[in-house]
Amino acid sequence: MVGGGGMRGAYPAGMLDALDSIGLRDAVDEIYGASSGSFLAACFAAGHAAGAAASFPEDLASRAFVDLRRFASRRPVLSLDHLLYGVLGGTKPMPWDALLASPMRVRLVATAVDDLRPRVLGGLTDPDAWRRGLRASAAIPVIAGPAVEHEGRRWVDGSIGEPLALARAVRGGATHVLVLLSRPTADLRLDPDVRIPWWARLLDRFTPGLGTLTQGEARYGADLALVTDPAHPGLRGARVAAIEPSTGTGMGALTVDPGPVGDAVRVGRESALAALGSDALPHR
């Protein structure tokens, strides 16, 4: 379960690089991701975790990827074209054949525009479909581009409807789940009953998903209740562990300073290695 959130994905990028470096990739049966977490999930399944982690300070912490000045020209602030073609097609090329052949099941979560409900995307059978799926899972009107057409529906960022797909994985039969968080739980609101205010819901009607996205940490409540309560009935007996960043580095979703971004990758890697040395993780 890979958390996203724009450039905050640098933390789980480091975590996945650590998992891969110590040989745990083959122990993962399926992986879920939304937003930048979808990019990381696909890279991990393809054996490209190190490249994905390196891309944050080397390629994504740049005006080519994030540029607030694009607001003035009505272009997306965050360029998914740079990620999909400049990085995955250039500086850190994605091994698409390895992704297609991977036994690991990659579940990209996106939010349907017509009802703002999250779903796992299907039809990812070739590189073009994967690129479209990755774009659909991260699209945010105004911020990261318009809704994406895929298999007869329009889709936006999966984290709008489901920041963490933990409940979905458990419903699908998962018995051991590892959640990689892109921010400390102390920074997130844990109340699962929090409601999105009326003005945000109204904004969603005109710009799908943008109003809900403005609620930030409030969207995580129901998911985090499963992470923080091992006896939660929604877990159906599944064993769940989470790795969160051990410290913050001043990162935001649109940070372009390579220093804090590189530090976030390092913190993520170190946090994963520290967690793996404890008794906190479930064993296969």
Side-chain angles (χ1 to χ4, degrees):
M1 212 68 52
V2 187
M7 293 300 290
R8 286 193 182 96
Y11 293 111
M15 296 173 189
L16 287 170
D17 187 24
L19 295 179
D20 197 20
S21 70
I22 59 176
L24 290 184
R25 179 160 51 93
D26 290 342
V28 179
D29 298 317
E30 64 180 1
I31 186 168
Y32 288 77
S35 190
S36 57
S38 63
F39 151 64
L40 295 173
C43 287
F44 184 69
H48 194 44
S55 73
F56 275 87
E58 295 176 7
D59 305 290
L60 302 181
S62 68
R63 296 289 183 189
F65 185 54
V66 180
D67 192 347
L68 292 173
R69 296 173 299 182
R70 290 198 281 262
F71 265 129
S73 61
R74 301 188 176 223
R75 292 181 296 155
V77 169
L78 191 152
S79 173
L80 294 179
D81 281 342
H82 177 67
L83 171 61
L84 294 172
Y85 298 101
V87 179
L88 295 185
T91 58
K92 307 288 188 301
M94 171 70 105
W96 295 109
D97 289 345
L99 176 60
L100 293 170
S102 175
M104 191 186 306
R105 298 181 294 275
V106 183
R107 312 299 195 193
L108 302 189
V109 178
T111 303
V113 168
D114 53 7
D115 59 8
L116 288 183
R117 293 181 60 185
R119 294 172 175 84
V120 171
L121 296 176
L124 306 178
T125 57
D126 58 63
D128 285 341
W130 273 98
R131 279 187 284 264
R132 188 166 59 252
L134 292 170
R135 187 186 294 274
S137 183
I140 305 169
V142 180
I143 302 298
V148 175
E149 296 276 352
H150 179 70
E151 293 200 314
R153 301 184 82 156
R154 296 171 64 234
W155 304 91
V156 291
D157 191 308
S159 70
I160 291 168
E162 195 170 70
L164 298 171
L166 175 52
R168 181 181 299 276
V170 171
R171 290 195 303 271
T175 58
H176 294 71
V177 183
L178 177 61
V179 180
L180 306 182
L181 295 169
S182 57
R183 59 179 96 183
T185 54
D187 293 348
L188 299 169
R189 190 177 300 175
L190 300 178
D191 182 1
D193 298 319
V194 67
R195 291 181 58 83
I196 302 299
W198 68 267
W199 61 265
R201 296 196 302 273
L202 182 63
L203 181 56
D204 281 338
R205 293 181 59 184
F206 293 97
T207 307
L210 188 58
T212 303
L213 190 72
T214 65
Q215 299 308 291
E217 70 277 4
R219 297 175 294 122
Y220 285 78
D223 289 329
L224 284 176
L226 299 177
V227 173
T228 57
D229 180 5
H232 195 290
L235 291 178
R236 306 182 185 186
R239 299 183 65 187
V240 175
I243 300 176
E244 59 185 287
S246 59
T247 186
T249 66
M251 281 282 294
L254 301 178
T255 296
V256 294
D257 186 339
V261 174
D263 287 343
V265 173
R266 174 184 53 78
V267 166
R269 186 180 293 113
E270 292 173 352
S271 299
L273 293 175
L276 289 165
S278 74
D279 295 329
L281 295 178
H283 301 287
R284 291 178 62 85

